[in-house]
Amino acid sequence: RALSDADPGVRAAAARLLGAQGEAALRAMLDDDDVEVVLAALASLPQGLAELAQRRAADSDPRVRAAVVRSAGPNPPPEGLALDALSGYLDDPDVRVRRAAAEALGAREEPGAAEALVRALEDGAHVVRLAAVRGLRRRGAEGARAVLPALRSNAETAVMAALSVLGSSDAPGPPEVLRQEYALRVREAWDALLASRVLFGSDTRDAFLRMAWNDAFTRALRLAYRALAGLEDAAVVRSVERALRFTPGRVWGDALEVLSNLGDRETSRWLVLLLEPIPVEEKLVALGDYIEPVRSAEDARLRGSQASAPWVRLAVLDLEDGDGTDALAAEAMMERLLSLRRVSLFSNLSLERLQAIERITHQAEYVKGEVIVREGTPGEELYLLIEGDVDVLHDLGGAGETRVNRLGPGSYFGEIAVLDGSPRSATIVAASDVRVLVLDGNRLRELIHEVPEIAFDIFRVLTERIRSAEQRASSG
């Protein structure tokens, strides 16, 4: 009787228990046009019928594709998906499908599964990387060996994930690899610090190279701390890192003292010197022959061509090389990222994050006097002001028309309607020719979940606007 139930989950659960009759029912459910029916059937497929899931392996609905992958589980063919097919789902456009693929690969024991999981460490979604890390950790020494190539990845998140796997392994090799990585990243931080201080040019490439070396400095520090966390108590390392980033005074000095006694003591000594609040010239005297200092802008460019940080290498591309097409495209990318960095909302983000944001924005231009957003209308976009000025107006064209504010490059507007779903609270008019980058509201909300610290800039801007409104009200 349950095969006739209105709930597809009940029908699928009953079919699972009914042998040949149930198999026929599950086949029919898998061919149904109703996605909920298909999902119920996929969730209830017994192991012996797992190959039936492949009937919907290329379904247009990502929920179905993810359910197909999950139904395969740890089973190799014929019950489950072949390893290459399962690995192919790591390139699916939907994060749910990629996560399901990483989880399924983590459960597979076949040769090649670990290498496929390492590819998932490059994924832009944290949940996919986390599933890959868990699968690689479960493999112990095999997983630790598999992640070694990822240590040289251009993606910082992939390197972080690889270090996390190495830090969890009890095999004899990883501690030595972590010590080497710790030493390498501290040297990279020194290189970046000394290179950034000799760059003074104002053209796009020099400005970007300076920003890239600064980005390489913070990147190297983050990776050094992660490698150190694999060698020592991770909670202690995190406490030291937080104290050095956010806590001035005596606590800061105590954190340096603790740091000097962690990991490889020689490497930690150079890291403490790097972080000491003394002039760089004094640090150079203490360096001795530990590292060859970068002494000129030309030296910074030459050193940049060999840097591990991808953005530094991008910044030193030769514009005269070949037909210059790649280098010109790189310079255009530099200009866009420099513009994004000037937006206060993103001023503290890494270049890797900025590029991810740049990819999900689109550019728009407005002429002087043109309305960009209108008060009272619905809006689901955040506008990042790159060039020009805009006026913020209330009651445009009405008896109470008021100019509330004028915003310039580096500002943003539209965040209130995005965050609370309300109509636009003001009209924004171009006070000059304007260029903006437009970010979809759903993407902004996802970004806040991924990078919570950008919410603090939104809070700061909203607070400033509230105070300004209160001052206008009291003076009026």
Side-chain angles (χ1 to χ4, degrees):
R1 290 201 310 273
L3 287 180
S4 302
D5 196 276
D7 188 323
V10 174
R11 298 202 301 275
R16 181 184 177 93
L17 303 172
L18 284 173
Q21 183 183 4
E23 180 179 340
L26 287 170
R27 286 179 183 274
M29 292 179 73
L30 286 171
D31 291 333
D32 202 287
D33 292 332
D34 188 326
V35 170
E36 297 303 325
V37 173
V38 175
L39 292 174
L42 288 169
S44 292
L45 282 178
Q47 276 196 358
L49 297 178
E51 76 279 3
L52 291 180
Q54 297 177 37
R55 297 155 69 98
R56 305 300 292 251
D59 198 275
S60 61
D61 192 307
R63 295 173 297 169
V64 174
R65 297 197 300 276
V68 167
V69 174
R70 284 194 295 271
S71 69
N75 305 308
E79 289 83 7
L81 292 165
L83 191 63
D84 58 347
L86 191 54
S87 301
Y89 281 108
L90 293 175
D91 299 318
D92 194 277
D94 192 276
V95 66
R96 293 166 291 186
V97 180
R98 302 198 304 276
R99 177 182 181 177
E103 289 171 345
L105 284 165
R108 288 287 181 92
E109 302 293 345
E110 302 158 72
E115 287 69 22
L117 278 173
V118 171
R119 189 160 66 85
L121 297 182
E122 300 272 352
D123 199 280
H126 174 72
V127 292
V128 178
R129 297 195 303 272
L130 183 59
V133 166
R134 287 171 174 162
L136 288 161
R137 283 176 171 174
R138 194 176 64 81
R139 284 170 162 75
E142 180 196 0
R145 287 192 298 271
V147 301
L148 294 179
L151 294 173
R152 304 282 80 86
S153 171
N154 283 337
E156 181 185 340
T157 49
V159 182
M160 286 284 198
L163 290 170
S164 177
V165 173
L166 290 168
S168 68
S169 176
D170 294 327
E176 182 55 34
V177 174
L178 288 168
R179 278 190 286 271
Q180 293 170 2
E181 283 297 304
Y182 181 41
L184 171 66
R185 302 305 176 178
V186 171
R187 283 183 173 272
E188 287 178 348
W190 270 106
D191 258 345
L193 173 70
L194 299 177
S196 63
R197 66 188 290 272
V198 299
L199 292 165
F200 304 103
S202 58
D203 66 12
T204 296
R205 285 214 296 161
D206 275 350
F208 187 85
L209 181 57
R210 187 165 56 251
M211 182 170 74
W213 273 122
N214 286 329
D215 187 76
F217 174 77
T218 56
R219 178 183 192 265
L221 278 185
R222 287 191 295 267
L223 293 175
Y225 286 129
R226 179 57 65 92
L228 184 58
L231 295 168
E232 298 282 358
D233 186 310
V236 172
V237 176
R238 283 195 298 272
S239 296
V240 168
E241 182 183 3
R242 282 196 297 267
L244 292 173
R245 288 179 63 193
F246 304 119
T247 312
R250 181 175 175 178
V251 173
W252 195 86
D254 291 343
L256 278 185
E257 179 65 27
V258 172
L259 178 60
S260 68
N261 290 291
L262 295 177
D264 178 83
R265 302 300 189 269
E266 182 70 8
T267 298
S268 293
R269 181 166 72 89
W270 297 121
L271 179 55
V272 168
L273 177 63
L274 178 72
L275 300 172
E276 283 277 11
I278 60 176
V280 175
E281 289 71 19
E282 294 182 28
K283 296 182 182 184
L284 286 171
V285 173
L287 273 177
D289 59 358
Y290 169 68
I291 193 168
E292 179 62 31
V294 180
R295 300 189 182 279
S296 67
E298 185 58 32
D299 194 9
R301 295 186 187 95
L302 290 172
R303 195 80 60 97
S305 64
Q306 304 300 320
S308 68
W311 298 107
V312 176
R313 297 198 304 274
L314 175 70
V316 296
L317 279 174
D318 186 354
L319 285 172
E320 303 304 321
D321 190 23
D323 62 5
T325 303
D326 289 344
L328 288 171
E331 187 157 16
M333 169 66 76
M334 295 177 204
E335 289 178 346
R336 292 195 296 272
L337 294 181
L338 282 167
S339 296
L340 269 179
R341 176 57 65 83
R342 286 192 285 268
V343 176
S344 63
L345 189 61
F346 306 134
S347 60
N348 294 317
L349 297 189
S350 69
L351 283 167
E352 188 174 335
R353 285 282 190 188
L354 286 181
Q355 185 190 38
I357 293 167
E358 189 270 339
R359 285 173 173 167
I360 59 176
T361 62
H362 67 270
Q363 184 171 292
E365 297 180 355
Y366 299 88
V367 299
K368 183 177 180 179
E370 189 173 358
V371 173
I372 302 173
V373 301
R374 190 173 294 276
E375 184 177 0
T377 60
E380 265 292 297
E381 298 85 24
L382 174 74
Y383 293 82
L384 312 169
L385 188 52
I386 304 302
E387 290 180 6
D389 299 313
V390 299
D391 285 329
V392 182
L393 304 168
H394 279 313
D395 194 25
L396 177 65
E401 179 176 328
T402 307
R403 193 182 85 170
V404 176
N405 200 1
R406 172 164 286 188
L407 304 176
S411 304
Y412 56 89
F413 53 90
E415 73 286 349
I416 296 177
V418 168
L419 293 176
D420 68 3
S422 61
R424 298 292 189 188
S425 59
T427 296
I428 308 294
V429 177
S432 64
D433 289 349
V434 163
R435 182 164 63 94
V436 295
L437 292 177
V438 186
L439 179 63
D440 176 74
N442 287 328
R443 295 298 186 94
L444 175 63
R445 287 187 285 270
E446 291 171 5
L447 192 62
I448 290 172
H449 282 294
E450 293 175 12
V451 193
E453 56 265 34
I454 71 171
F456 288 101
D457 191 82
I458 294 177
F459 298 155
R460 178 187 60 78
V461 169
L462 290 176
T463 301
E464 289 174 356
R465 292 176 185 173
I466 290 169
R467 286 177 176 165
S468 176
E470 289 175 344
Q471 289 171 359
R472 286 194 306 272
S474 61
S475 64

